[in-house]
Amino acid sequence: MHDNASSADLAASVKILVAGGFGVGKTTMVSSVSEVAPLRTEETITELSAGVDDLSGVESKTTTTVALDFGRITLDESLVLYLFGTPGQDRFWFLWDELVRGALGAVVLADTRRLENSFAAIDFFERRGVLFTVAVNCFDNAQGYTTDEVRDALDLDVGTPVVLCDARDRESCKSVLITLVEHLIVQASASVA
């Protein structure tokens, strides 16, 4: 071992996807929690998206992710998470098949004002056997729901974690990621036993 090797160089690296529907806060989450300047592939929403992209509930949105967002967070000296935020628009979903390769788990970010937009992401991960946590981004003008109400509305397995968060808040997003990592560890331990 080199004396000048940092603990980050020795830490386990884990790929995590941050997914969900259009406008749920994926870019915001990756940006707020990343310890490095996040890579973003955002473009301005133009008139060309009219009739193609559903802006219902996010009419004030002016940019959209067209490939991915990328960030990194070191949870402790032994674990570094590499975050890949997916595009939310249906027309960019072909990228999800590439982004999911090598991912250990995912966060499905949800917006209770448009909860139906979460079903496609949940189905994507369930079909591929990728473990995930649902994180409800609590927007200021959204009606509050309990995690049990969200679990029931999304018809989730009782073992799938559902947490409330604020995608703008670093500690809130970090808590979501810790919940996901703990879920991955419990599931891995159960499969070994």
Side-chain angles (χ1 to χ4, degrees):
M1 180 167 90
H2 300 288
D3 291 334
N4 60 358
S6 73
S7 60
D9 294 334
L10 303 174
S13 299
V14 176
K15 180 179 181 181
I16 300 293
L17 294 189
V18 178
F22 181 60
V24 296
K26 298 176 299 293
T27 297
T28 301
M29 181 179 188
V30 171
S31 296
S32 69
V33 78
S34 183
E35 63 197 17
V36 297
L39 167 68
R40 293 184 285 225
T41 59
E42 286 194 308
E43 293 294 334
T44 302
I45 296 174
T46 66
E47 294 172 1
L48 295 175
S49 72
V52 176
D53 301 320
D54 182 7
L55 296 176
S56 302
V58 288
E59 293 84 3
S60 63
K61 188 167 174 55
T62 59
T63 61
T64 187
T65 300
V66 295
L68 64 98
D69 297 312
F70 175 79
R72 182 188 80 204
I73 180 170
T74 304
L75 290 184
D76 65 30
E77 64 278 351
S78 65
L79 183 61
V80 176
L81 303 183
Y82 290 93
L83 307 175
F84 290 79
T86 64
Q89 295 161 287
D90 293 349
R91 62 189 165 129
F92 297 123
W93 270 53
F94 67 93
L95 294 168
W96 285 43
D97 287 323
E98 293 301 320
L99 290 173
V100 77
R101 290 176 196 241
L104 195 57
V107 172
V108 175
L109 204 55
D111 177 353
T112 57
R113 300 170 302 174
R114 299 172 295 120
L115 203 53
E116 68 279 0
N117 292 348
S118 303
F119 286 115
I122 290 167
D123 184 55
F124 179 87
F125 295 118
E126 286 179 340
R127 287 179 185 245
R128 286 159 181 80
V130 175
L131 295 173
F132 61 92
T133 293
V134 173
V136 178
N137 191 6
C138 299
F139 286 89
D140 294 334
N141 58 348
Q143 180 178 342
Y145 293 95
T146 68
T147 56
D148 287 337
E149 289 172 321
V150 172
R151 178 185 313 288
D152 290 343
L154 294 175
D155 193 28
L156 294 172
D157 180 74
V158 70
T160 302
V162 178
V163 294
L164 305 178
C165 75
D166 181 343
R168 302 166 297 184
D169 181 75
R170 184 176 202 281
E171 290 305 312
S172 181
C173 295
K174 187 175 178 181
S175 178
V176 169
L177 294 170
I178 290 169
T179 298
L180 173 61
V181 169
E182 289 172 345
H183 178 56
L184 295 172
I185 291 168
V186 166
Q187 294 303 311
S189 298
S191 68
V192 170

